[in-house]
């Protein structure tokens, strides 16, 4: 018996041995979606899923004492948020290597107010794709006040999100996944939705052409659940490591490797101690030193986000091995600390 499915004049038909045995007009959209998902398309886009917020940055000669008054020596509005910063740093590195074949997309929720318009404008000016973002009319843009201490470059952040909802898997499932080479998830508090999104990608991408990575940064207990999921790359930072009762870089890299999938990569940036990574397939541990900028440490805001993007850039765009990739991550993160913002990263080699 020869069976086939055909589409004709806004209907879907099931044909058995040349005889139409079933017709359904309502399945037209589903049928078209499945056809589009199976069509060959170049996977050249890297997607960052997470937060974008307004960073109000102040640079002070020294960290202010409580109940005191001092003038800042610099201030600026910046587009912030981990996934948002990831997008910015990666765009700078694409510029460094003139990788015109790649695209960068941010996906998250954005409010409808003046600060949100600033974020949208900045995304566009940096060439970051945002056509799929979810807008909320009645919400307020999340904001952070960031104090950078000019004495040592440290940053102190006070964050506030009044009412902007977290991203839902329902919105995520509407993306066209055949364009993505990799999807990175910022580990936010909507862990149950993030897990649904990861499972949805695996369901749609049966050939496993999409690489999935996740950042575990915050000491949020529910983030532990992500260690059980089918994820290719875990970025684990010190705050989360402390939550897991790991006190050193070595304890963290080995402890997390024991808990995740047997073919996963675990990557741990550790500030001034550099970074380590392990490939669970062969259990080899790779290390990189930290790189101090020639200009001295001026701004550490977004250094971790920069490390993550540079490491992914090395793995995905340059086909680096794991050690080469984390060395690149440490180099670019060090250069990031040598100047304010991200716009110098396409010339990062001049800073280290």
């Amino acid at each position: 018996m020869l069976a086939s499915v055909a589409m004709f004049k806004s209907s879907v038909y099931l044909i058995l041995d040349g005889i139409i045995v079933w017709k359904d007009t309502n399945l037209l959209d589903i049928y078209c979606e499945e056809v589009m998902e199976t069509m060959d398309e170049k996977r050249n886009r890297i997607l960052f899923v997470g937060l974008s917020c307004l960073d109000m940055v102040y640079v002070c000669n020294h960290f202010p004492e409580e109940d005191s008054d001092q003038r800042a020596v610099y201030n600026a509005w910046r587009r912030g948020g981990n996934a948002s910063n990831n997008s910015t740093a990666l765009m700078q590195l694409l510029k460094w290597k003139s990788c015109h074949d790649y695209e960068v997309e941010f996906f998250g929720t954005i409010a409808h107010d003046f600060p949100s318009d600033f974020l949208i404008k900045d995304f566009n000016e940096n060439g970051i794709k945002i056509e799929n973002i979810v807008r909320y009319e009645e919400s307020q843009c999340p904001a952070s006040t960031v104090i950078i201490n000019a004495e040592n470059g440290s940053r102190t952040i006070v964050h506030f999100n009044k009412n902007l909802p977290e991203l839902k898997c329902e919105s995520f499932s509407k993306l066209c996944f055949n364009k993505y080479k990799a999807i990175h998830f910022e580990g936010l508090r909507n862990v149950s939705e993030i897990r649904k999104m990861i499972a949805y990608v695996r369901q749609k991408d049966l050939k496993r052409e999409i690489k999935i990575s996740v950042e575990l940064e915050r000491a949020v207990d529910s983030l532990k659940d992500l260690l059980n999921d089918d994820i290719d790359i875990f970025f684990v930072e010190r705050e989360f490591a402390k939550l897991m009762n790991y006190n050193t870089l070595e304890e963290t890299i080995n402890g997390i490797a024991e808990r995740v999938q047997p073919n996963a990569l675990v990557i741990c940036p550790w500030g001034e101690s550099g970074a380590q990574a392990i490939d669970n397939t062969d259990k080899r541990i790779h290390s990189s030193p930290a790189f101090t900028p020639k200009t001295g440490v001026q701004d550490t805001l977004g250094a971790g986000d920069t490390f993550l993007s540079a490491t992914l850039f090395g793995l995905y765009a340059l086909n680096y091995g794991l050690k080469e990739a984390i060395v690149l991550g440490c180099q670019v993160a060090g250069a990031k600390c040598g100047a304010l913002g991200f716009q110098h990263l396409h010339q990062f080699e001049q800073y280290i």
Side-chain angles (χ1 to χ4, degrees):
M1 181 178 291
L2 179 63
S4 62
V5 177
M7 180 180 66
F8 180 69
K9 290 188 177 180
S10 301
S11 295
V12 175
Y13 297 83
L14 176 62
I15 303 171
L16 296 179
D17 288 335
I19 301 173
I20 298 174
V21 297
W22 177 75
K23 168 186 173 183
D24 195 321
T25 303
N26 295 327
L27 284 180
L28 177 62
D29 290 340
I30 298 174
Y31 177 74
C32 290
E33 177 186 342
E34 292 301 320
V35 170
M36 289 302 294
E37 287 291 335
T38 57
M39 289 177 63
D40 288 334
E41 183 173 326
K42 187 174 183 181
R43 295 182 180 272
N44 66 342
R45 185 175 290 198
I46 297 175
L47 175 66
F48 292 98
V49 181
L51 173 70
S52 183
C53 66
L54 175 66
D55 281 353
M56 296 173 287
V57 179
Y58 298 87
V59 179
C60 300
N61 284 323
H62 57 82
F63 191 80
E65 298 178 6
E66 185 178 359
D67 198 24
S68 67
D69 185 1
Q70 70 167 282
R71 286 181 177 270
V73 297
Y74 167 91
N75 86 298
W77 276 22
R78 293 187 198 167
R79 172 173 48 81
N82 289 18
S84 178
N85 289 341
N86 294 145
S87 306
T88 306
L90 184 55
M91 283 301 300
Q92 286 288 310
L93 292 170
L94 293 177
K95 184 177 178 181
W96 166 55
K97 280 293 186 182
S98 300
C99 295
H100 303 300
D101 291 339
Y102 281 90
E103 296 178 338
V104 178
E105 180 182 350
F106 167 83
F107 184 54
T109 57
I110 302 285
H112 259 294
D113 55 12
F114 179 71
S116 300
D117 291 341
F118 168 81
L119 302 184
I120 296 294
K121 181 174 180 288
D122 198 69
F123 274 123
N124 290 329
E125 289 177 348
N126 281 273
I128 299 165
K129 306 294 184 182
I130 54 169
E131 67 265 27
N132 294 308
I133 58 171
V134 181
R135 303 295 301 269
Y136 282 91
E137 293 285 347
E138 303 301 324
S139 297
Q140 180 177 310
C141 179
S144 296
T145 298
V146 183
I147 298 175
I148 297 176
N149 183 351
E151 289 181 329
N152 56 18
S154 70
R155 89 289 185 273
T156 303
I157 303 172
V158 179
H159 181 71
F160 178 68
N161 182 0
K162 181 178 181 180
N163 58 2
L164 182 67
E166 300 276 12
L167 189 65
K168 302 290 186 182
C169 186
E170 179 183 0
S171 300
F172 180 80
S173 66
K174 297 176 182 178
L175 299 176
C176 183
F177 290 93
N178 59 340
K179 70 178 67 173
Y180 297 117
K181 182 180 182 71
I183 300 177
H184 174 76
F185 294 91
E186 177 185 353
L188 296 171
R189 298 179 186 276
N190 59 332
V191 175
S192 61
E193 293 297 317
I194 294 172
R195 299 188 74 190
K196 291 177 187 177
M197 295 179 215
I198 292 169
Y200 189 83
V201 175
R202 292 307 188 204
Q203 175 189 338
K204 299 294 286 185
D205 179 37
L206 296 179
K207 295 181 180 179
R208 298 183 70 93
E209 295 180 280
I210 301 173
K211 292 291 185 181
I212 297 177
S213 58
V214 68
E215 177 189 32
L216 303 176
E217 178 191 28
R218 299 169 178 85
V220 177
D221 202 64
S222 58
L223 288 175
K224 295 177 183 178
D225 294 339
L226 290 167
L227 297 172
N228 302 315
D229 289 346
D230 189 1
I231 295 169
D232 297 298
I233 306 175
F234 291 86
F235 287 89
V236 181
E237 302 195 24
R238 275 189 279 198
E239 190 175 338
F240 181 80
K242 290 179 182 178
L243 175 69
M244 299 291 294
N245 295 316
Y246 301 135
N247 297 312
T248 67
L249 178 54
E250 290 72 20
E251 286 180 6
T252 303
I253 201 82
N254 288 301
I256 297 296
E258 290 178 359
R259 298 178 62 111
V260 300
Q261 298 290 326
N263 59 343
L265 305 180
V266 179
I267 301 172
C268 297
W270 216 256
E272 64 282 354
S273 298
Q276 283 190 357
I278 188 171
D279 185 339
N280 247 359
T281 58
D282 60 15
K283 299 298 183 181
R284 290 183 61 193
I285 295 178
H286 306 275
S287 301
S288 171
F291 291 82
T292 303
K294 297 175 183 176
T295 54
V297 177
Q298 298 187 29
D299 176 12
T300 60
L301 180 63
D305 304 328
T306 300
F307 169 85
L308 188 154
S309 292
T311 301
L312 292 181
F313 178 71
L315 292 171
Y316 297 151
L318 303 181
N319 294 315
Y320 279 2
L322 186 53
K323 180 177 178 60
E324 291 177 293
I326 64 170
V327 169
L328 177 65
C330 287
Q331 289 174 333
V332 183
K336 172 13 241 103
C337 297
L340 295 171
F342 298 90
Q343 298 305 314
H344 63 293
L345 291 182
H346 66 286
Q347 299 176 318
F348 77 89
E349 292 162 305
Q350 298 180 15
Y351 288 82
I352 54 174

